[in-house]
Every structure is written in C-alpha cells, then in structure tokens.
C-alpha cells in the first residue's frame, strides 16, 4: 500500500469488526464510521459519503411482489443489520420528505454488511444497505432497487478518533492519507 511505502515506521493493526467499539477504553487510535455520529466526545473528519437504498433480488420480488410505498414493507421480509446503532429500525425518507421509521425485527438479523448483501442476493428478503456494498450486484442484475422513487439517503463516512488523537503524528498521517485516498471516490465506489 502507498501508506506503508510513505510511512514504513508506522505499525498498523487493522481490526475488521462491525460492532461499535469504544475507542478510548479499548485502545483504538481511529475508527471508520458510516452514518450519524452520536458520540460527541470524539473528533471526526469526513472522508466521503455514500448512498443507502433498499435492494432485493428479482426472484424475491417476483415471488412476494414489489412494494410501491413504504407501508407495503410491513408485509415483506426485511433483512436486519444487527450492528446498526439505532436498533431494528430503518429510517426512510417518504416522497413528501417526512422521516419514516420502519421496524425490521423478526426476520433475519446479520451483523455483517456483506453477509446481508448475500442474503438479499439469495432471495431471503429486502435489505437496506450502503451503495458501495450493492453497486456491483445491481450492475450484474443480481439485485434491483425497492421503491426506487423514494429519496435516496446519503450518509457520511468518517474517520473518528479520541480528543487529542490527531496531535499524534501517526494518527494525523493516517487520517490525512485516508482523506487523500477516498475524498474523490463516488458514493458507489469504495
């Protein structure tokens, strides 16, 4: 990687985990978070943004029908991302601009975005995922958008770190590298 060539003396220990880690108490220098930032004690730098949409396989939609409005989702199998901080709820934007909360509990729950994507491709239900996960599957015809006329939600992608963390040269160098690498990517290209 370019970062290691540029900073050969910095050791990076990458932990790929979907749970919400406590940076300070667990000893992490930095985390990448998508969506609303809730812990105001942390510092954050925005790296980019992604879109989030509902997707399902054509086979699932052929069998169970294509929802045409948000209320139709109540009769569908909704695949839940169990690691999201707001619980078993999708926050959707209605065509009117109104925020709607849809409960997803009771169906399949998965704590990993790629596994949730695979479940949707397999026809197990409707998933609500960021664009960088579903873009290739949409392009390949494995998935299609559900209620495509709904406003598309945009989520920020952030590097977060404890207060004062950016004063550490290694953290500042890594955050600067991430911004340089990812600030020009499209919401579907991560």
């Amino acid at each position: 990687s370019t970062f290691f060539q540029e900073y050969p003396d910095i050791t990076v220990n990458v932990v790929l985990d979907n749970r919400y880690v406590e940076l300070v108490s667990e000893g992490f220098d930095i985390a990448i978070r998508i969506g609303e930032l809730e812990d105001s004690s942390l510092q954050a730098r925005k790296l980019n943004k992604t879109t989030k949409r509902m997707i399902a396989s054509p086979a699932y939609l052929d069998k169970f029908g294509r929802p045409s409005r948000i209320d139709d989702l109540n009769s569908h199998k909704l695949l839940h991302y169990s690691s999201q901080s707001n619980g078993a709820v999708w926050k959707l934007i209605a065509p009117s601009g109104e925020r709607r909360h849809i409960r997803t509990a009771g169906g399949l729950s998965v704590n990993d975005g790629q596994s949730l994507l695979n479940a949707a491709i397999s026809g197990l239900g409707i998933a609500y995922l960021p664009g960088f996960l579903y873009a290739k599957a949409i392009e390949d015809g494995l998935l299609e958008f559900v209620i495509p006329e709904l406003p598309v939600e945009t989520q920020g992608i952030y590097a977060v770190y404890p207060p004062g963390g950016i004063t550490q040269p290694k953290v500042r160098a890594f955050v600067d590298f991430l911004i340089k690498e990812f600030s020009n990517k499209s919401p579907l290209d991560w």
Side-chain angles (χ1 to χ4, degrees):
S1 163
T2 310
F3 181 78
F4 295 111
Q5 292 169 0
E6 209 169 317
Y7 301 97
D9 295 333
I10 295 179
T11 300
V12 177
N13 179 18
V14 177
V15 177
L16 300 175
D17 198 334
N18 288 300
R19 71 184 176 85
Y20 192 88
V21 299
E22 296 292 337
L23 269 67
V24 176
S25 63
E26 297 185 47
F28 287 93
D29 292 316
I30 187 173
I32 306 301
R33 293 197 176 145
I34 301 174
E36 299 172 21
L37 298 180
E38 297 174 4
D39 187 346
S40 60
S41 69
L42 297 176
Q43 304 274 312
R45 294 281 302 275
K46 189 171 185 178
L47 303 177
N48 205 314
K49 63 185 178 183
T50 189
T51 53
K52 192 173 181 183
R53 296 181 72 174
M54 291 183 292
I55 45 90
S57 72
Y60 172 86
L61 296 170
D62 288 344
K63 183 173 182 178
F64 295 101
R66 286 169 172 76
S68 60
R69 55 196 184 92
I70 291 174
D71 289 337
D72 294 344
L73 296 171
N74 294 324
S75 61
H76 280 270
K77 297 174 182 178
L78 305 181
L79 306 174
H80 173 60
Y81 183 56
S82 59
S83 294
Q84 67 187 29
S85 59
N86 60 342
V89 173
W90 289 351
K91 295 179 180 178
L92 304 176
I93 304 170
S96 66
E98 173 194 7
R99 278 263 183 207
R100 297 284 306 275
H101 291 212
I102 305 299
R103 291 202 53 75
T104 60
L108 175 67
S109 281
V110 182
N111 71 345
D112 173 69
Q114 185 64 49
S115 297
L116 202 59
L117 176 71
N118 293 339
I121 290 170
S122 298
L124 298 181
I126 299 171
Y128 189 41
L129 292 171
F132 60 84
L133 281 174
Y134 65 66
K136 178 86 168 76
I138 289 279
E139 185 180 307
D140 293 345
L142 300 173
L143 295 169
E144 59 184 75
F145 293 119
V146 175
I147 321 179
E149 62 275 6
L150 286 182
V152 177
E153 181 182 354
T154 301
Q155 293 185 313
I157 302 174
Y158 301 90
V160 295
Y161 41 88
I166 202 69
T167 61
Q168 297 180 50
K170 65 180 181 179
V171 173
R172 186 174 59 250
F174 193 62
V175 170
D176 289 346
F177 170 80
L178 291 174
I179 290 169
K180 184 174 76 175
E181 285 293 307
F182 296 112
S183 62
N184 293 324
K185 291 199 176 285
S186 82
L188 302 179
D189 178 28
W190 262 77

